[in-house]
Amino acid sequence: MEEGERSPLLSQETAGQKPLSVHSPPTTGCLDPVPWEDQADAWGCSCCPPETKRQALRGTPGKGPAPSLSIGSSCVKYLIFFSNFLFSLLGLLALAIGLWGLAVKGSLGSDLGGPLPADPMLGLALGGLVVSAVSLAGCLGALCENTCLLHGFSGGILAFLVLEALAGALVVALWGPLQDSLEHTLHVAIAHYQDDADLRFLLDQVQLGLKCCGAASYQDWQQNL
């Protein structure tokens, strides 16, 4: 091949390719590291301030990354998790039993849009719903170390304690009227013993548990013909 001629094979191979620059740096498959700010913004919990996220990702300046939990803290964490998991299962069981009782008695489908039925199963279902929701918040908050869920769990426990304290104070302050009201309620329950299956079951369990008969004596059952 003469000096002035071009090779057709070389022209076909180099056709459509950009000329390589001498000053262009070689490309590699490695990506640049993600800045700390982007990692902090991509962190899941939106309730934590950005500075807390960056500090947790970087660690304390001069001390390296954030230390892991100690053995005692890990034991407390998993103790909270398992205890709340157990209570959440019990709450879901109570919710299921309450809904099943309402469905069997037909209280769920009757009078849609009307007032809620005065049924003990409704109280069981609502109580199971509240207990399971609070317990699941504590369970997931302890497992995932989520501050928002732990705050919700602490608020629920605090609300339960306040309600229990108020109920105890009311019982102590109104013990006399409560006794009279309870005795009147028992007389009414004895008079309507055969009218409601739930009332009959509840009254039987109360008398068996307390080993009593009637409100004051067995003669109270003479009110029921």
Side-chain angles (χ1 to χ4, degrees):
M1 184 180 296
E2 298 181 358
E3 184 178 355
E5 296 179 357
R6 297 176 57 190
S7 173
L9 181 60
L10 182 62
S11 61
Q12 291 177 5
E13 292 178 353
T14 58
Q17 297 182 0
K18 295 182 180 179
L20 295 176
S21 176
V22 179
H23 302 287
S24 61
T27 59
T28 59
C30 300
L31 299 176
D32 295 335
V34 181
W36 291 108
E37 290 77 6
D38 297 341
Q39 293 185 17
D41 294 337
W43 202 4
C45 185
S46 59
C47 61
C48 299
E51 293 298 329
T52 305
K53 299 177 185 179
R54 296 190 184 99
Q55 184 177 2
L57 285 172
R58 292 180 178 178
T60 306
K63 296 183 180 180
S68 59
L69 292 176
S70 62
I71 298 178
S73 300
S74 299
C75 292
V76 172
K77 168 184 173 180
Y78 288 107
L79 179 62
I80 294 175
F81 168 74
F82 284 116
S83 60
N84 282 283
F85 181 73
L86 178 61
F87 277 105
S88 63
L89 290 181
L90 293 177
L92 291 175
L93 180 62
L95 175 62
I97 293 175
L99 292 178
W100 173 78
L102 290 174
V104 167
K105 296 170 64 176
S107 301
L108 288 177
S110 61
D111 297 334
L112 292 177
L116 292 175
D119 199 317
M121 289 296 179
L122 180 62
L124 182 63
L126 292 179
L129 178 62
V130 173
V131 170
S132 61
V134 175
S135 300
L136 283 176
C139 180
L140 295 178
L143 183 63
C144 303
E145 299 179 10
N146 191 300
T147 309
C148 301
L149 291 177
L150 289 177
H151 284 169
F153 170 71
S154 302
I157 295 297
L158 182 61
F160 285 154
L161 293 177
V162 170
L163 289 177
E164 288 179 2
L166 289 177
L170 288 176
V171 167
V172 172
L174 303 174
W175 178 246
L178 282 177
Q179 274 188 317
D180 298 337
S181 176
L182 181 60
E183 186 176 355
H184 175 70
T185 303
L186 286 175
H187 284 292
V188 173
I190 289 173
H192 297 279
Y193 178 77
Q194 298 290 344
D195 298 341
D196 191 357
D198 291 332
L199 179 62
R200 184 166 61 250
F201 173 77
L202 182 61
L203 193 56
D204 289 343
Q205 294 302 315
V206 168
Q207 293 185 123
L208 288 174
L210 298 178
K211 296 181 180 179
C212 62
C213 185
S217 66
Y218 68 94
Q219 296 180 356
D220 295 332
W221 282 97
Q222 295 178 359
Q223 301 175 11
N224 192 313
L225 301 178

